[in-house]
Amino acid sequence: MKPNILFITIDALRADKTYGKNKTSTTPHIDSLISKGVYFEQTIAAADQTGSSLASIFTSNFPITFGINQFNFSSKTETMLNIFKKSGYYIDGFVPDHDFFKSLTENFDNSDVYQAEKKASWKRLGDGLGAQIIDRITTNKMKKPWFLYIHVMDIRPPFEVSDEFKDEKFGKNDYEKLVSSIDFWIGKIIEKIELSNTLIILSADHGEFIPVTGEYIGGSSKAQRVLRKSTKSIPVLDKLGLKAVMNLRFASQTYKKEILKRKLTPFQMRSFNTRGADTLYDEITRVPLIITGYNITSHKIISDLVRQVDIFPTLLDILKLPENNNVDGRSLLPLISGKKLDEIPAYIETGINLGRLLDKKSELLGKIIGIRTSSYKYWRSRDDPKENISLFNLHEDPKEENDVAENNLNIIKKMEDHLTQLMKKSNNDKNKKMTNEDIEKAKELLLKLGYV
């Protein structure tokens, strides 16, 4: 009998806040999963945006090669889950009300789409989602073997913590307290599962910037909220009103940052950055990856660099299911088994942001692309390899504070050579311009997710 599979992705969960000395949250259940299985401590997300990152996981291809991202993923997109369906798996899921997830789960045998209309009403594990998941597992509503995919939206700015987890013992900041609250529910879910006959994978879509002061400066002011409400009720104000909201937000953030610069270091100021902009620091690109349960017989912490695109090839290898060789990912089972693998660089990119859409930048693509190895991080403008160049020596400068691009042109050339090889594989047919309808849908999604 094939094992069941529980695959959990936690929105915006950083690797350094899951395992290691920088974690202050209380996570006995995540710790237990790690202690019984394998933790990859240098897993790199393909993008800093949810849909693009998860598309790379489920297709096992980079966005730059397969041409799939946040806004053009559809139910017709070929994913690795098709192999599991053909192998007799019942596919189920709990996902947020988000176009990417609705497209992903359209071909599932069953799925529950939970509300994610706005920050105040995101359905979290403690709001009934956790109980629904447990009910699905314990009442035998899924045919065996099952593949259950869950995406958790509990960690999102401005990091609103429920009363039972506000004590400092659950973390030094609200972000880490939310990690503690997620761990509580992971424990409740895992205790209902037979670990010996279930393969468990826990990861994330991307990381997140955590304000060092604990102050989230991206929130809307009262005036902004009034204007946003007006744009919804008076269509003629939409174009002007939404742009005005963005301008107000930018002005507010700029003012607050200027005050904070007087007392914080440049590294601390970086914690107020946003995703989908012009940087790809490890805070937003390095994510956790835990594989435990069925056929994972020993505890390992693996420090080798791996990529999100490697997840599904690894699952297929563990389960001895048919492989798809036309992908960017590869199996990590040799590493799990104690063997060595030559390092393959990770591709990284930023997602598109609302500001570019409002400025009539109709590309589906974010403006920064790059390459990460275990030794160096490199990024530059997607459109011009001579613009927005940054290079960091990760061995000497793990915090990525000192840009060494100017004095390392030979390393940049090697990184560019790798990008060139990926671009040669690019599926240009999918990287089309957005229609006006596409743009409006993208704006609606980014608004829903709280980017304004």
Side-chain angles (χ1 to χ4, degrees):
M1 183 68 178
K2 298 182 183 75
N4 299 317
I5 300 168
L6 175 62
F7 189 4
I8 302 172
T9 51
I10 300 172
D11 203 286
L13 180 61
R14 283 169 43 163
D16 65 334
K17 300 304 180 182
T18 310
Y19 174 85
K21 64 181 181 180
N22 291 325
K23 178 177 80 75
T24 66
S25 52
T26 303
T27 57
H29 305 294
I30 292 176
D31 296 345
S32 177
L33 292 178
I34 293 173
S35 70
K36 295 174 183 176
V38 179
Y39 181 73
F40 295 88
E41 60 180 355
Q42 198 174 181
T43 305
I44 306 304
D48 68 349
Q49 193 170 57
T50 300
S52 300
S53 169
L54 293 179
S56 76
I57 292 178
F58 283 98
T59 64
S60 197
N61 281 295
F62 294 126
I64 196 172
T65 59
F66 199 54
I68 294 294
N69 59 37
Q70 177 103 346
F71 302 113
N72 66 355
F73 189 94
S74 77
S75 58
K76 296 180 181 178
T77 303
E78 185 77 15
T79 74
M80 301 290 275
L81 284 174
N82 292 341
I83 298 175
F84 288 86
K85 286 201 76 169
K86 291 176 182 177
S87 299
Y89 273 86
Y90 178 88
I91 313 294
D92 206 340
F94 288 87
V95 298
D97 181 14
H98 175 316
D99 286 347
F100 167 82
F101 291 102
K102 287 190 282 190
S103 294
L104 174 68
T105 58
E106 189 170 322
N107 295 321
F108 282 23
D109 294 297
N110 182 64
S111 64
D112 281 60
V113 178
Y114 61 85
Q115 186 181 25
E117 280 298 324
K118 52 187 178 181
K119 292 178 183 180
S121 63
W122 276 332
K123 191 170 185 178
R124 304 186 183 192
L125 290 168
D127 299 327
L129 178 61
Q132 284 181 263
I133 294 169
I134 291 171
D135 178 72
R136 183 68 47 81
I137 293 170
T138 57
T139 55
N140 296 318
K141 293 179 180 178
M142 296 182 290
K143 299 176 184 178
K144 293 183 179 180
W146 48 256
F147 187 118
L148 178 59
Y149 173 60
I150 302 166
H151 186 76
V152 177
M153 291 282 285
D154 290 35
I155 307 176
R156 295 288 299 190
F159 311 130
E160 297 174 359
V161 181
S162 58
D163 291 341
E164 59 266 41
F165 289 96
K166 286 185 176 179
D167 194 290
E168 287 188 3
K169 69 180 181 181
F170 294 114
K172 288 185 177 180
N173 54 55
D174 288 347
Y175 178 101
E176 300 212 38
K177 290 172 184 175
L178 286 172
V179 175
S180 295
S181 69
I182 290 172
D183 180 83
F184 171 80
W185 279 99
I186 286 176
K188 282 183 167 291
I189 293 167
I190 297 303
E191 72 179 10
K192 305 299 182 182
I193 287 174
E194 185 180 345
L195 201 59
S196 63
N197 192 42
T198 306
L199 187 61
I200 299 175
I201 305 93
L202 188 146
S203 192
D205 49 358
H206 51 72
E208 187 60 273
F209 289 109
I210 308 170
V212 68
T213 61
E215 176 189 10
Y216 177 66
I217 64 174
S220 299
S221 66
K222 183 176 181 181
Q224 287 174 297
R225 291 193 296 272
V226 170
L227 186 51
R228 284 181 63 190
K229 185 176 181 180
S230 297
T231 63
K232 291 179 182 179
S233 58
I234 308 175
V236 73
L237 292 177
D238 180 62
K239 184 176 178 181
L240 176 63
L242 192 52
K243 189 67 178 178
V245 168
M246 293 294 291
N247 289 336
L248 279 171
R249 181 188 183 201
F250 179 75
S252 175
Q253 287 178 332
T254 301
Y255 173 72
K256 292 176 181 177
K257 285 181 178 180
E258 286 302 316
I259 294 175
L260 290 169
K261 280 180 183 178
R262 301 171 189 171
K263 55 184 178 180
L264 299 177
T265 67
F267 177 73
Q268 291 172 324
M269 285 301 303
R270 193 167 91 195
S271 69
F272 298 99
N273 284 9
T274 57
R275 292 181 288 104
D278 55 4
T279 65
L280 283 165
Y281 294 114
D282 266 10
E283 290 98 309
I284 55 174
T285 58
R286 194 163 71 90
V287 295
L289 174 57
I290 303 168
I291 302 178
T292 190
Y294 175 80
N295 265 9
I296 305 297
T297 57
S298 60
H299 165 60
K300 285 187 177 71
I301 304 296
I302 295 178
S303 59
D304 300 55
L305 179 138
V306 302
R307 299 88 47 85
Q308 285 183 322
V309 292
D310 299 326
I311 293 176
F312 268 94
T314 303
L315 302 186
L316 296 177
D317 201 2
I318 292 172
L319 301 174
K320 296 181 171 39
L321 295 180
E323 296 181 13
N324 182 346
N325 296 317
N326 190 30
V327 296
D328 294 318
R330 62 171 175 180
S331 172
L332 303 176
L333 188 56
L335 287 178
I336 295 173
S337 303
K339 300 175 183 177
K340 293 295 293 181
L341 282 175
D342 292 336
E343 180 174 291
I344 301 178
Y347 170 80
I348 49 178
E349 68 173 41
T350 61
I352 193 170
N353 62 37
L354 188 56
R356 282 170 67 80
L357 294 178
L358 294 176
D359 288 333
K360 299 182 180 179
K361 302 291 185 181
S362 61
E363 298 87 352
L364 280 162
L365 309 171
K367 62 181 180 179
I368 299 295
I369 62 175
I371 296 292
R372 190 194 190 282
T373 69
S374 58
S375 301
Y376 288 94
K377 165 85 68 65
Y378 167 69
W379 72 68
R380 50 90 159 171
S381 166
R382 183 189 294 271
D383 299 327
D384 187 341
K386 298 186 182 302
E387 289 187 0
N388 295 324
I389 295 173
S390 289
L391 180 73
F392 300 94
N393 185 326
L394 300 177
H395 287 317
E396 297 179 2
D397 177 29
K399 290 185 177 180
E400 303 168 88
E401 296 182 273
N402 303 304
D403 191 335
V404 297
E406 187 175 342
N407 299 319
N408 290 277
L409 299 182
N410 59 325
I411 296 173
I412 289 176
K413 183 181 183 307
K414 290 180 181 178
M415 297 294 202
E416 272 299 316
D417 287 345
H418 194 78
L419 274 177
T420 299
Q421 291 301 313
L422 291 174
M423 289 175 180
K424 286 180 180 179
K425 295 172 60 179
S426 177
N427 187 337
N428 292 319
D429 290 340
K430 292 191 176 70
N431 287 327
K432 61 180 177 65
K433 295 286 185 179
M434 299 175 78
T435 65
N436 288 334
E437 183 180 357
D438 290 334
I439 293 172
E440 290 307 312
K441 285 182 178 179
K443 285 162 57 177
E444 182 181 348
L445 172 61
L446 292 174
L447 283 166
K448 180 188 293 187
L449 291 175
Y451 286 93
V452 175

